Amino acid sequence: MKQYEFLLFDLDDTLLDFNAAEQIALPKLFEAHQFPLTEEVRQVYKGINAELWQALEEGQITREELMEIRFAKTFEYFGEKVDGRALDAEFRSYLTESKVFVEGAFELIQSIAPNYELYITSNGSSDTQVKRMQVTGLAPYFKQVFVSEDTGYQKPMKPFFDYVFERIPQFDSAKTMIIGDSYSADIIGGAGAGIDTCWLNPTRKEAHAMIQPTYVIDTLSQLYPILEGANSLQKITGKQ
């Protein structure tokens, strides 16, 4: 099994628990605007947000459009008109207050950082992601943070990965792997860029038949034997 040198980590729901952060941020946002956050409101927002993120990954909308639309469209559904961009900025400021990790994430990064070059590859807002890494203590372990806002592209677009690769000293695609929870962004994107992929897939979703991840793991602890070259997790060669 090959020896990796460069590890690219997604941030949300790979290292940091985005759902936990959202559980803090959404109530604060809606309370600040005196709008009850009922279960119906929450589900409407989640549906709109998920559709917009999918559209972003497919290149149908820009990141700026997503941030302007998601709260405006949510409030519009309930007959309210708001400044969507302002609410989005407020929401993202609340996101930075969460320090909840995906299980085993901080211990993993602490353990492997001395032996690998670690990088963050994330879609989203640069300021928000950098602040979240700072408040959680992750920042010192990573060589650089690559966020779609700065690159001008988002995963899974190949130009996003080209931007990243060009800025990693002595980069070698054969010694690089991306680890992430999003099949559409991390796995399809990594495969298209010619690097190995590790899909953090705790709910065991189905992968598209045409593009298989190099590895599939249920928990981050299963990454250790992959990096150590153990035989407990076999490299996928076409079928799972």
Side-chain angles (χ1 to χ4, degrees), residues 44-55:
V44 167
Y45 165 75
K46 283 182 173 293
I48 290 171
N49 192 47
E51 289 179 3
L52 290 172
W53 274 105
Q54 182 176 348

Side-chain angles (χ1 to χ4, degrees), residues 41-104:
V41 173
R42 189 186 296 272
Q43 291 307 315
V44 167
Y45 165 75
K46 283 182 173 293
I48 290 171
N49 192 47
E51 289 179 3
L52 290 172
W53 274 105
Q54 182 176 348
L56 177 68
E57 291 178 2
E58 293 174 354
Q60 298 175 7
I61 63 172
T62 65
R63 186 190 68 85
E64 289 74 18
E65 288 173 322
L66 182 150
M67 293 182 175
E68 185 171 343
I69 293 171
R70 59 179 172 180
F71 285 109
K73 197 170 181 179
T74 299
F75 276 80
E76 183 182 1
Y77 182 90
F78 295 99
E80 299 287 336
K81 187 174 182 179
V82 297
D83 183 338
R85 185 173 292 276
L87 261 68
D88 196 88
E90 188 177 345
F91 171 70
R92 286 184 281 110
S93 72
Y94 294 138
L95 285 177
T96 63
E97 297 178 13
S98 173
K99 299 180 181 180
V100 181
F101 288 92
V102 171
E103 184 178 358

Side-chain angles (χ1 to χ4, degrees), residues 2 16 32 41 49-50 66 68 98 105 116 140 148-149 160 184-185 187 199 206-207 209-210 214 228:
K2 71 173 65 176
L16 297 182
V41 173
N49 192 47
L66 182 150
E68 185 171 343
S98 173
Y116 300 90
S148 58
E149 180 181 14
F160 174 93
S184 58
I187 306 310
W199 188 16
E206 290 292 326
M210 296 298 293
T214 313
E228 293 167 0

Side-chain angles (χ1 to χ4, degrees), residues 11-25 94-107 129 131-138 220:
L11 189 60
D12 287 321
D13 289 330
T14 299
L15 298 179
L16 297 182
D17 189 330
F18 183 80
N19 287 330
E22 192 176 64
Q23 290 296 320
I24 293 173
Y94 294 138
L95 285 177
T96 63
E97 297 178 13
S98 173
K99 299 180 181 180
V100 181
F101 288 92
V102 171
E103 184 178 358
F106 192 69
E107 295 80 2
Q129 301 301 59
K131 286 178 182 177
R132 293 175 71 210
M133 290 190 65
Q134 290 171 342
V135 300
T136 56
L138 279 175
L220 287 174

Side-chain angles (χ1 to χ4, degrees), residues 204-230:
R204 302 190 178 185
K205 299 174 184 175
E206 290 292 326
H208 192 283
M210 296 298 293
I211 299 178
Q212 291 291 328
T214 313
Y215 308 97
V216 181
I217 58 177
D218 297 330
T219 65
L220 287 174
S221 63
Q222 293 176 328
L223 188 59
Y224 290 107
I226 292 175
L227 298 178
E228 293 167 0

